[in-house]
Amino acid sequence: MSLRPSLPPPPPPVEIRTWPDREAMLADRTMILRALVRMHLGPGRLGVLLMWAGLAAFGWLLVGSGLVMVEQAAADFFSGIAGILSLLLGAGALIPAVVLASLHVARDREVRALLVEWGALDRDPERDRELRLPGMSLVWLLLSFVLAAGGLALCVIGPASARPGDDTYGMVALIMGLGMVAWLTGLIGAVKALTHRRWVLRVLTAPAPDRLTPDPLTPAGARSASSEPRPPGSGTPSPRSGR
């Protein structure tokens, strides 16, 4: 059984909504938005992303070390054997980390789509205030900036500081790979933080949707008294009055 919580369904179409009143709809909306915000920007998601980044960094560390050992295989046969084993172990850690990170990004896209759909149902300023999470968004953004800046520095400084004859291609690849892992992790985190902020501004704090359409909580096909045709003699001309 999967430990990952399942995503809630999208809001039902207008014609089959069964909420008895607006307050019941707002209560369900708030409950589902709370769960979606935790899935998108909660502390647990930050820990999972860092765990997968650490696994990817460990895998690339083994891969890079294996490349360095393979380059030294001409002088030492056992270094070549150890390098191949290190490459295999590194691939065994790196590939699952990349797959899990890809699933993480794909799931975030689904969560963001549900956040937009449920948030667009109505506005509830009092309950929506707790969904903004400005502090958590700032933590995501600052940590992501540090990771991305450090990773970019490794990707640039590593090759630039390499000295021919002293630093091998494997060592340069090792440094650049670690920098790329840090940069991609920071990029993912920054996108999550900025996307959440944009959702808050465009959905939670935006004006309420225009209610020119019929009330979604009324039965389908219900019509107001003002929409019924007015009978003859009630201030409107009769269809036969022109004859």
Side-chain angles (χ1 to χ4, degrees), residues 75-138:
D76 186 0
F77 174 77
F78 293 101
S79 295
I81 299 298
I84 294 176
L85 292 177
S86 182
L87 286 173
L88 294 177
L89 291 175
L94 182 61
I95 293 175
V98 172
V99 172
L100 291 174
S102 301
L103 294 176
H104 179 102
V105 173
R107 183 178 174 85
D108 280 343
R109 294 181 60 183
E110 298 177 5
V111 170
R112 286 195 292 266
L114 290 173
L115 282 170
V116 172
E117 293 178 10
W118 279 100
L121 281 179
D122 208 332
R123 299 293 179 269
D124 190 359
E126 294 297 326
R127 295 173 179 171
D128 289 349
R129 189 173 292 111
E130 64 182 270
L131 302 174
R132 300 178 185 180
L133 298 181
M136 197 64 203
S137 300
L138 184 60

Side-chain angles (χ1 to χ4, degrees), residues 9 31 37 53 57 69 93 112 137-138 166 217:
M31 179 184 65
V37 168
M69 295 177 186
R112 286 195 292 266
S137 300
L138 184 60
D166 293 336
L217 300 181

Side-chain angles (χ1 to χ4, degrees), residues 12 18 49 51 84 114 130 144-145 156 166-168 223:
T18 58
L49 180 61
M51 180 183 66
I84 294 176
L114 290 173
E130 64 182 270
S144 300
F145 175 78
V156 174
D166 293 336
D167 297 320
T168 62
R223 303 167 62 184

Side-chain angles (χ1 to χ4, degrees), residues 54-70 79-96 170-171 173-175 177-178 181:
L55 181 60
F58 176 71
W60 186 257
L61 181 63
L62 292 177
V63 170
S65 301
L67 292 175
V68 174
M69 295 177 186
V70 169
S79 295
I81 299 298
I84 294 176
L85 292 177
S86 182
L87 286 173
L88 294 177
L89 291 175
L94 182 61
I95 293 175
M171 182 60 66
L174 172 61
I175 296 174
L178 293 177
V181 170

Side-chain angles (χ1 to χ4, degrees), residues 203-228:
V203 178
L204 296 188
T205 61
D210 191 4
R211 292 189 175 275
L212 295 178
T213 56
D215 189 351
L217 300 181
T218 58
R223 303 167 62 184
S224 63
S226 60
S227 64
E228 296 293 338

